[in-house]
Amino acid sequence: MLIILISVAAGMALSAYLILPAGFDISECGSARRQPVLDPDYTGVTVPPNIAPMNFIIREPGARYLARISSEKGRSMEIYSAGPEIIIPMGKWKKMLRANRGGWFTIEIFVKDESGEVRRYKPVRNWVAEDNIDGHLVYRLINLGYRLWNKMGLYQRNLAAFREKPVILNRMTGNNCVNCHSFHGNSPERMMFHLRANPSGTILVHDGKATMLNTGTKMGGAVYPGWHPGGEHIAFSTNSILQVFHAKGENRDVFDKSSNLIVYNIKTNSVTTTPEVSSPDYLENLPSWSPDGKTIYFIRAPSFDSHVKPVREPDTLKKVLRYDKVKYSLMRIKYDVENDKWGKMETLISADSTGLSVSWPRVSPDGRYLLFCMSNYGYFTIHHPETDLYMMDLKTGITRRLDKVNSGRTDSYHSWSGNSRWFVFSSKRRDGLTTRPFFCYVDKEGKTHKPFVLPQKDPRFYSTFLLCYNVPELINAPVKKSPQEFARTAWKEKLVRQVKLDPKVLAPSEKAPTQMPWHKAHN
Amino acid sequence: MEAVTGRISRKMPGMIPMLFFPFFYLYVLLVIRPELIYQKQQPFFYTGKEFFIRYYNYPGGLTEYLSAFLSQFYYYPATGAFIITLTAFTVCISVRYILRGLGAPPGLQFLQFVPGVILIILHSSYLYNLSFSLGPVFALLLFGLFLAVTRKSGPFIKGGVFVSFALVLYYITAGPFFLFVLLCLCHELYTWRNIHLWALYIVSGTALPFISAYLFFPVSVNDAFFLLLRGSEYIRQEAVYGFYAFFPLIYMAMGASRLASVKKSRPVKLILEAGGWRAITTQTVAMVLAGAAAAFPLREKAHREYCELDYHSRNREWGKVLETARNSAVSSRYNIFRINRALYHQGILLDSMFSFGQRWGSEGLMLISPEMQFDLGKITQNAYLISEICWDMAYVNGAEQWSHEVVTFQGEAPWEIKRLALVNLAKGEMKAAEKFILLLKKNLLFREWAIKYGRYLEEPSLLNNDREFVGIRSRMGEKDFIFTYDVKILLEAIFNNRNKMVFEYLMACRLLEKDLLLHARSLIYFEELGYSNLPRHSQEALLLFEVIHKNIRLPPHNFRVRPDVVLQFKNFGAVFLGKYNSDLKKAKKDLLKDFKDTYWFYYFYGPDPKRKDG
């Protein structure tokens, strides 16, 4: 009799344990009649099949929490938690995404309060895209940039997991500034980044070899890069940058006193240009190639000086920068890299017609879409809360603002995935202060879906992390060179290659201001 | 009697630390003052994995992590002094253990206190980071353990233990692991045991950092060898070298002692083996005096005053700022900056500012000058002070800009994080404010503050009951402008007729730049801002203006210059014009006597060459 009683009690306890873990009885629960607030906002998003578990916090008051994640195919998983943090098991998550490619999954949230009452929230439905995203993300982690810099580094993150590894840390290179990392065709086999201050130069990885370049010529040093699809040329802008600080609203702003475009030929180790893209009357900036390698997209605004106006005051005559009038248009120019022939330049979006300023044009690898930003003025959009992403269909010429993607805060710097189905962009939507990488799916019809932030193992990570994710770039494999190798390349002064200026491009004329490199090109 | 003396002399070596360390503790507590070290270094530590993971992936990181944890307690003077004393105690006791192990004669026992004295000298610089002491502490403790473990071991085991200890120690401490290697090498040399072990120690000492930088850790080769070994460039390097050189010197002294006993050198033997409580007491007193004597001249007086003024300013103890400044022999632009700020908060800036040497002109107001924009060193040094004054002036974006500069080069110092939380609350950027408040909740010292201000996030209307916020918001300007390093233009841009502080600073700036015309034209604002009388220096400037610019008419105002100021001005004129016939050089001595604290004296003898009048 005793044995039977004990067996029954054990059986009941076991079934209670299996059916109602952590004391949840979800069969009789009240309904909240709304979706739960999840942080990060992983509601109604489209995710790639190769993304890490999207751990989140349930921003609802309660004593115990249950998240039930179910999908079209495969078994559902239930995650019980004494706190609001939901940590999804890696293995089950991966399995679910694999099984539901092109399908959906739902997240059901149950919250039990102190009195033992359980609330059930409306399920959240998310979609799993058919298409993978490039497996790795490279970004720079920096403080909110003002005049000074200190610790910074380029890092790479495997998007299917949480491991972050340094590509280079500036503590290995004399605490200098590491910036503008860029990859050829989403591949780490050919890549580059700049180092500013000693050791100074550009680290170029080409054919498995890392070299240090000194890109400084009479045209100025190379700044913002754009790789030619052939992998043998890089278009750069040369910029004389001015940083200013506002008294109201967003504090920081950046302008160029001058800027031009140049094209660097890796084989000949020389740069060339044409007067059309390096005119002293204009600020040419942010070059990006079309996937066929025949056209450079870039932005252009009237020169800095044209925006400096004299203002008469009682005792003095002041020169005032009318910074809100600096507006860039979207341009493109043909350039045949094989024959070194420049074509005609054309305006795609004129700042005069939109009243807005264009920046960061990037063509999707399949050549169909041109993604860019527009803000009220300037090109350093990361400091402009009004910056939004826009997409131009290069086939139809139609441009639209990506309303599903944009937020009330800065939505800026972007990079395409190799398959043109995903892009990553920097957004300050979480706090208006720090940039975080968000991923957006572009389906075959060109529709953009609700983006989501890079998942973190600790879902509270972003709430106190003060560094910014700067220049997120998607790549299809990890950077194999070690930080030590990059550091050694940077320190080997003897191996620094001085870039030559194309002999056809003559030195700046004597009459031109010295700070503003000018030349005459002879074709 | 002799028996008693003998007992005392036997107990004396044990009693010396009982005398030395209380003295050490009191010296740190009362003379060095750990709260000033905290003020200078602004150490920060946050609980949680996120903060820890910054430290685990490079050699020396764990020591830095521990140091960050312990240093925050400098905030409390008694705890801070205890931590520094405990560090010194551990080092000294380790040396004592080494000396005892070597069979040191009584005459060399005093050596155990030498590192303690050096540590006092190092901490006197206020920039000496605790991590530089913790590294040697770990090295000495592990060396002690190494000696204990390998006492009866053969060379093979000894070598194995050494390599394992060296690996662990290198990962924990980085550079100071050399101390361990050095001690092992000295010990092996002293005991003349195994030449292979010597080679192992030397090779390990050089190869380990190099290999770790080359293959394992993302650090520079320089850091791999020297991180936490040399200290910052601002601390006394000779004391650092002295600290590390001391340890091989122990072995050299012991070698000399051994040699002396072998050669039966009587004088050396007498010195080394001097016993009895008298000898020991004399040694102790000599050590204490040597330490104090060494520390006093090395302590940089100006540095200490800088820290003190900083400390009082940060705690808004304006009376103490002025008191410290009055007793200070040093006059720097930083001191005058703090004095001006204190004068304003005491309500006497335009009455008393020329009682203090305003030799840096308008730069002494906000520490901003046009030259500064090209001087990153100055930006680094002045950033936190500029942030503070900008916040005082309700120039919120300025406070934000400069606090971010501090966070960039110094890390998340809680004071700056607190300022950034306040800035964002004032700007109505609640999400950004939340970020900083949540971070401060992870700091042991600021947690309570964060909890209190966290309530504003949940209930923003509570901000209307907060006097500081109401004050700041009511004085914040409406218009946008671009920050400039020209203090006059900046103050003009910040100014609005609700902002009394900016107005007083602007008037002070005009006085310092000797712009009598603009100063006089701005007198109407005194009325607008509700002043019943003109401050003394403005009265003085007005009198001077009336003499110099007889033909310029000012907008009408209702202020009168006090008769005593008029009389004093007449006396000034009598000396300057009457007695010395406007000869500036000759008049200086006499004027200095009676008019040193007047604007007139500054006007004629002040530093600014950009005088616009007369």
Side-chain angles (χ1 to χ4, degrees):
Chain A
M1 188 64 185
L2 188 67
I3 292 168
I4 293 168
L5 276 174
I6 290 170
S7 307
V8 169
M12 284 171 72
L14 184 66
S15 44
Y17 175 71
L18 291 173
I19 297 163
L20 308 166
F24 263 97
D25 180 3
I26 56 171
S27 58
E28 287 183 21
C29 59
S31 169
R33 291 179 185 174
R34 63 176 172 86
Q35 286 193 334
V37 179
L38 304 185
D39 181 21
D41 179 9
Y42 292 147
T43 62
V45 296
T46 303
V47 304
N50 57 333
I51 196 77
M54 297 166 77
N55 300 332
F56 57 85
I57 301 164
I58 303 165
R59 293 270 183 220
E60 302 291 351
R64 299 186 82 84
Y65 298 83
L66 163 62
R68 182 193 283 164
I69 303 177
S70 40
S71 51
E72 275 181 299
K73 296 167 198 164
R75 288 173 63 180
S76 65
M77 51 181 137
E78 292 187 343
I79 301 149
Y80 294 88
S81 172
E85 300 88 359
I86 298 296
I87 310 295
I88 305 167
M90 177 77 83
K92 286 182 181 176
W93 171 261
K94 281 190 172 174
K95 215 169 164 185
M96 184 193 76
L97 291 186
R98 266 202 306 270
N100 290 281
R101 194 182 274 264
W104 49 263
F105 66 92
T106 58
I107 304 172
E108 266 184 293
I109 300 295
F110 300 85
V111 179
K112 185 177 166 185
D113 62 21
E114 294 291 348
S115 64
E117 205 174 299
V118 177
R119 274 187 325 279
R120 174 193 209 137
Y121 289 85
K122 277 189 174 177
V124 168
R125 178 169 286 199
N126 292 326
W127 283 264
V128 183
E130 286 274 5
D131 313 279
N132 276 4
I133 191 167
D134 281 350
H136 292 77
L137 184 72
V138 178
Y139 43 84
R140 179 169 69 147
L141 288 180
I142 50 162
N143 284 96
L144 288 146
Y146 282 77
R147 285 289 307 278
L148 303 172
W149 77 77
N150 191 4
K151 286 177 187 169
M152 69 170 79
L154 302 181
Y155 295 84
Q156 56 181 329
R157 162 85 189 263
N158 179 353
L159 291 179
F162 297 109
R163 184 84 199 272
E164 181 186 76
K165 280 161 62 178
V167 174
I168 179 84
L169 300 180
N170 75 333
R171 70 166 177 236
M172 308 170 76
T173 50
N175 284 331
N176 59 0
C177 180
V178 184
N179 56 61
C180 292
H181 50 282
S182 174
F183 300 86
H184 164 246
N186 299 68
S187 160
E189 297 300 317
R190 290 179 187 180
M191 61 173 282
M192 55 135 293
F193 59 86
H194 299 307
L195 299 169
R196 302 283 182 233
N198 189 33
S200 173
T202 301
I203 299 260
L204 175 76
V205 178
H206 189 256
D207 295 338
K209 245 178 77 179
T211 47
M212 179 87 151
L213 306 175
N214 178 358
T215 59
T217 65
K218 283 179 178 169
M219 284 302 299
V223 184
Y224 303 115
W227 278 85
H228 184 266
E232 298 297 332
H233 297 78
I234 310 172
F236 283 106
S237 57
T238 63
N239 308 62
S240 167
I241 294 170
L242 173 74
Q243 199 180 16
V244 300
F245 305 100
H246 292 278
K248 294 300 286 181
E250 167 60 56
N251 207 329
R252 296 161 295 162
D253 216 339
V254 171
F255 298 98
D256 281 357
K257 283 183 178 172
S258 66
S259 64
N260 294 306
L261 297 192
I262 53 174
V263 175
Y264 171 59
N265 184 330
I266 296 172
K267 233 178 229 170
T268 61
N269 190 37
S270 63
V271 292
T272 189
T273 186
T274 179
E276 280 199 288
V277 295
S278 52
S279 157
D281 300 329
Y282 289 98
L283 301 162
E284 300 90 351
N285 207 351
L286 310 181
S288 175
W289 294 87
S290 61
D292 63 8
K294 291 177 181 167
T295 308
I296 301 174
Y297 289 83
F298 64 102
I299 59 168
R300 191 178 81 157
S303 74
F304 180 84
D305 282 352
S306 68
H307 296 102
V308 178
K309 301 288 179 198
V311 173
R312 186 165 290 284
E313 290 205 341
D315 298 326
T316 50
L317 188 70
K318 279 183 183 170
K319 280 189 172 178
V320 174
L321 169 66
R322 295 168 70 188
Y323 53 82
D324 55 341
K325 305 286 180 213
V326 183
K327 296 187 186 203
Y328 287 85
S329 299
L330 178 62
M331 318 293 291
R332 69 179 168 197
I333 189 167
K334 295 263 180 207
Y335 179 55
D336 177 355
V337 290
E338 297 304 321
N339 303 305
D340 188 20
K341 286 264 186 240
W342 292 87
K344 268 195 171 177
M345 186 166 60
E346 58 178 312
T347 305
L348 287 181
I349 295 176
S350 159
D352 290 338
S353 63
T354 59
L356 295 172
S357 185
V358 178
S359 69
W360 306 113
R362 292 284 180 93
V363 185
S364 59
D366 62 5
R368 176 72 192 267
Y369 301 108
L370 175 69
L371 193 59
F372 57 95
C373 301
M374 285 216 274
S375 54
N376 289 346
Y377 64 88
Y379 77 95
F380 218 82
T381 45
I382 208 72
H383 297 331
H384 289 244
E386 78 284 0
T387 303
D388 279 331
L389 287 162
Y390 289 73
M391 198 153 81
M392 179 188 277
D393 187 334
L394 290 172
K395 209 167 162 187
T396 62
I398 295 170
T399 300
R400 61 193 167 95
R401 193 170 69 184
L402 303 180
D403 290 334
K404 264 196 174 174
V405 181
N406 293 316
S407 67
R409 299 287 192 166
T410 308
D411 297 295
S412 179
Y413 190 95
H414 42 271
S415 155
W416 285 95
S417 183
N419 57 5
S420 303
R421 294 275 78 86
W422 291 93
F423 65 84
V424 60
F425 64 99
S426 296
S427 180
K428 291 187 181 175
R429 66 188 61 189
R430 286 184 61 85
D431 52 28
L433 191 74
T434 49
T435 46
R436 305 290 179 232
F438 279 73
F439 302 95
C440 177
Y441 182 59
V442 184
D443 62 26
K444 280 167 189 150
E445 284 77 43
K447 272 189 207 157
T448 48
H449 294 228
K450 185 178 171 184
F452 64 94
V453 72
L454 174 69
Q456 299 289 349
K457 193 171 188 178
D458 175 4
R460 290 192 190 276
F461 175 81
Y462 291 121
S463 56
T464 53
F465 190 63
L466 290 187
L467 300 183
C468 292
Y469 283 77
N470 184 235
V471 188
E473 289 282 346
L474 287 163
I475 51 173
N476 52 26
V479 176
K480 289 193 185 81
K481 290 217 174 292
S482 69
Q484 287 86 349
E485 264 181 283
F486 283 129
R488 281 199 291 278
T489 308
W491 284 116
K492 279 180 187 165
E493 282 175 36
K494 283 179 192 166
L495 298 181
V496 176
R497 289 170 71 198
Q498 173 61 52
V499 171
K500 294 168 285 178
L501 184 61
D502 180 354
K504 287 185 296 182
V505 177
L506 296 186
S509 78
E510 283 173 15
K511 285 178 189 169
T514 49
Q515 294 88 352
M516 197 174 286
W518 174 232
H519 65 287
K520 287 174 183 170
H522 297 263
N523 287 320
Chain B
M1 183 65 192
E2 263 186 28
V4 173
T5 311
R7 272 205 303 279
I8 292 171
S9 72
R10 276 196 301 279
K11 286 182 181 171
M12 209 56 200
M15 287 168 70
I16 297 168
M18 290 169 68
L19 294 172
F20 182 82
F21 289 107
F23 174 80
F24 188 102
Y25 176 81
L26 289 174
Y27 188 87
V28 174
L29 181 70
L30 302 173
V31 180
I32 295 178
R33 295 174 60 189
E35 71 273 25
L36 298 185
I37 302 179
Y38 181 88
Q39 176 60 37
K40 184 74 194 165
Q41 297 184 4
Q42 293 291 307
F44 57 91
F45 180 88
Y46 296 98
T47 54
K49 196 175 136 196
E50 193 187 299
F51 185 73
F52 174 73
I53 56 173
R54 295 184 200 177
Y55 293 92
Y56 82 96
N57 69 347
Y58 63 94
L62 293 184
T63 300
E64 288 191 334
Y65 182 76
L66 182 63
S67 167
F69 173 73
L70 292 174
S71 306
Q72 64 180 332
F73 296 109
Y74 286 173
Y75 189 80
Y76 305 110
T79 324
F82 177 75
I83 289 166
I84 294 172
T85 310
L86 187 65
T87 317
F89 177 79
T90 317
V91 172
C92 294
I93 290 300
S94 304
V95 175
R96 182 190 169 101
Y97 176 79
I98 294 169
L99 287 169
R100 197 194 288 170
L102 296 174
L108 289 181
Q109 286 297 330
F110 75 98
L111 285 174
Q112 63 185 293
F113 302 110
V114 172
V117 173
I118 298 176
L119 283 178
I120 279 209
I121 295 168
L122 286 167
H123 279 291
S124 297
S125 79
Y126 294 98
L127 281 163
Y128 182 72
N129 195 292
L130 187 65
S131 55
F132 301 125
S133 296
L134 290 179
V137 164
F138 288 131
L140 285 164
L141 290 176
L142 215 64
F143 177 65
L145 188 65
F146 175 76
L147 289 184
V149 169
T150 60
R151 188 171 292 160
K152 292 173 184 169
S153 311
F156 189 72
I157 290 177
K158 208 171 184 180
V161 173
F162 169 82
V163 171
S164 343
F165 278 22
L167 284 171
V168 172
L169 190 66
Y170 179 70
Y171 172 62
I172 295 172
T173 66
F177 116 105
F178 283 116
L179 180 59
F180 172 73
V181 175
L182 187 68
L183 285 168
C184 290
L185 186 66
C186 288
H187 199 80
E188 203 61 35
L189 281 166
Y190 182 77
T191 51
W192 289 104
R193 286 196 186 151
N194 195 307
I195 197 164
H196 296 107
L197 285 176
W198 299 356
L200 176 72
Y201 298 161
I202 292 167
V203 170
S204 309
T206 45
L208 192 55
F210 189 76
I211 292 169
S212 83
Y214 202 86
L215 294 176
F216 299 110
F217 296 110
V219 292
S220 66
V221 174
N222 191 50
D223 274 354
F225 277 92
F226 299 115
L227 188 73
L228 300 187
L229 190 64
R230 286 189 299 208
S232 92
E233 57 189 291
Y234 303 107
I235 60 171
R236 295 193 167 273
Q237 291 298 313
E238 63 271 24
V240 176
Y241 296 137
F243 182 83
Y244 284 101
F246 164 75
F247 295 94
L249 284 175
I250 298 177
Y251 283 90
M252 284 168 73
M254 286 305 301
S257 158
R258 194 159 66 179
L259 212 64
S261 60
V262 171
K263 291 193 171 178
K264 292 180 182 170
S265 162
R266 192 169 161 69
V268 174
K269 204 174 172 184
L270 268 178
I271 295 165
L272 294 173
E273 294 180 3
W277 64 273
R278 276 199 196 93
I280 292 164
T281 310
T282 314
Q283 284 178 8
T284 308
V285 172
M287 281 301 302
V288 168
L289 289 177
F296 265 106
L298 285 172
R299 248 182 354 100
E300 291 159 41
K301 201 160 181 278
H303 217 119
R304 187 194 151 88
E305 277 167 9
Y306 180 100
C307 295
E308 262 187 276
L309 283 170
D310 228 13
Y311 179 76
H312 295 314
S313 297
R314 185 148 273 185
N315 292 304
R316 305 183 85 79
E317 299 165 342
W318 307 120
K320 285 185 180 172
V321 171
L322 294 177
E323 193 188 319
T324 311
R326 280 200 184 96
N327 299 329
S328 169
V330 184
S331 174
S332 70
R333 55 167 66 79
Y334 300 103
N335 288 8
I336 208 72
F337 163 81
R338 292 183 187 100
I339 288 165
N340 287 334
R341 191 167 163 228
L343 287 171
Y344 170 76
H345 286 289
Q346 297 278 60
I348 51 171
L349 177 68
L350 294 173
D351 290 293
S352 304
M353 62 184 286
F354 293 104
S355 303
F356 298 86
Q358 298 283 351
R359 75 170 68 156
W360 282 274
S362 56
E363 196 187 339
L365 290 172
M366 291 185 76
L367 292 178
I368 288 168
S369 64
E371 300 76 41
M372 181 188 175
Q373 60 188 308
F374 309 109
D375 187 344
L376 290 183
K378 245 186 182 178
I379 290 177
T380 309
Q381 200 172 357
N382 300 358
Y384 75 100
L385 297 167
I386 301 174
S387 169
E388 282 182 3
I389 194 90
C390 288
W391 178 249
D392 278 2
M393 289 179 173
Y395 172 27
V396 173
N397 265 25
E400 183 182 30
Q401 172 189 341
W402 290 95
S403 274
H404 275 301
E405 298 285 27
V406 181
V407 171
T408 297
F409 75 82
Q410 204 176 31
E412 294 99 321
W415 275 101
E416 300 308 324
I417 298 297
K418 183 176 151 184
R419 166 117 45 248
L420 288 168
L422 293 171
V423 158
N424 283 290
L425 282 173
K427 285 172 83 170
E429 292 284 352
M430 295 312 203
K431 282 278 176 192
E434 183 185 21
K435 194 174 207 74
F436 296 112
I437 288 171
L438 285 175
L439 186 60
L440 283 180
K441 279 186 182 170
K442 294 180 171 187
N443 182 278
L444 298 175
L445 306 178
F446 286 79
R447 197 177 143 73
E448 270 184 39
W449 182 92
I451 290 168
K452 183 184 159 197
Y453 278 77
R455 284 205 297 274
Y456 293 157
L457 299 172
E458 292 155 16
E459 191 98 32
S461 62
L462 286 175
L463 277 170
N464 299 329
N465 303 330
D466 188 298
R467 274 181 61 193
E468 187 178 7
F469 276 104
V470 172
I472 290 283
R473 278 183 165 172
S474 68
R475 291 184 294 129
M476 277 166 71
E478 304 292 328
K479 60 178 191 242
D480 187 20
F481 59 87
I482 301 274
F483 175 82
T484 167
Y485 286 90
D486 184 318
V487 68
K488 195 172 120 189
I489 296 174
L490 182 64
L491 285 166
E492 278 168 359
I494 309 170
F495 176 63
N496 62 64
N497 57 9
R498 289 166 282 118
N499 201 326
K500 199 174 158 188
M501 182 175 187
V502 176
F503 172 65
E504 287 204 10
Y505 265 67
L506 184 58
M507 295 306 270
C509 180
R510 284 171 181 167
L511 292 178
L512 289 165
E513 295 196 349
K514 301 180 182 176
D515 199 335
L516 290 176
L517 180 61
L518 266 181
H519 170 266
R521 277 182 180 161
S522 309
L523 291 180
I524 47 163
Y525 289 110
F526 279 108
E527 274 186 49
E528 267 187 36
L529 285 156
Y531 287 77
S532 51
N533 295 307
L534 274 186
R536 185 166 71 102
H537 293 315
S538 282
Q539 294 183 35
E540 291 166 352
L542 186 59
L543 288 174
L544 199 59
F545 171 81
E546 283 168 355
V547 171
I548 293 172
H549 299 286
K550 281 178 189 152
N551 302 325
I552 297 180
R553 280 199 164 183
L554 293 178
H557 61 83
N558 296 318
F559 294 115
R560 293 284 167 270
V561 178
R562 285 198 324 252
D564 60 309
V565 180
V566 176
L567 182 67
Q568 204 187 8
F569 187 55
K570 280 180 182 164
N571 292 340
F572 183 88
V575 176
F576 183 50
L577 300 172
K579 194 174 171 185
Y580 292 101
N581 197 22
S582 305
D583 188 328
L584 277 172
K585 266 189 187 170
K586 285 181 184 163
K588 189 174 182 183
K589 206 176 168 187
D590 260 8
L591 292 174
L592 189 66
K593 237 190 302 174
D594 297 324
F595 304 98
K596 188 182 150 190
D597 60 351
T598 66
Y599 179 61
W600 311 309
F601 187 83
Y602 174 84
Y603 187 83
F604 290 107
Y605 297 102
D608 191 358
K610 288 185 280 178
R611 189 192 303 170
K612 291 180 179 171
D613 309 275

